Amino acid sequence: MDSGWEKIDKIRIHTKNRHISLNQSMTGIEDMDAYLMRHTDKEKIITKKKR
């Protein structure tokens, strides 16, 4: 689980039929990340770190 202290590079949202990607240059990506963390079941969130 992401602690919220790391830089967000990209958010990918996958649903049954669609997906969307948000990247760090978009305004409000931090707010979207915070919203998803508050309103999405934690088992459905997968956090990946850059290698």
Side-chain angles (χ1 to χ4, degrees), residues 8-41:
I8 302 164
D9 289 325
K10 184 183 284 186
I11 297 174
R12 288 185 182 169
I13 301 170
H14 294 265
T15 65
K16 184 176 180 179
N17 298 317
R18 302 182 77 180
H19 72 274
I20 185 172
S21 292
L22 309 173
N23 63 44
Q24 66 183 351
S25 65
M26 298 175 118
T27 302
I29 191 169
E30 293 87 4
D31 295 332
M32 177 59 80
D33 179 60
Y35 176 86
L36 292 170
M37 295 295 284
R38 286 191 312 269
H39 294 93
T40 304
D41 186 11

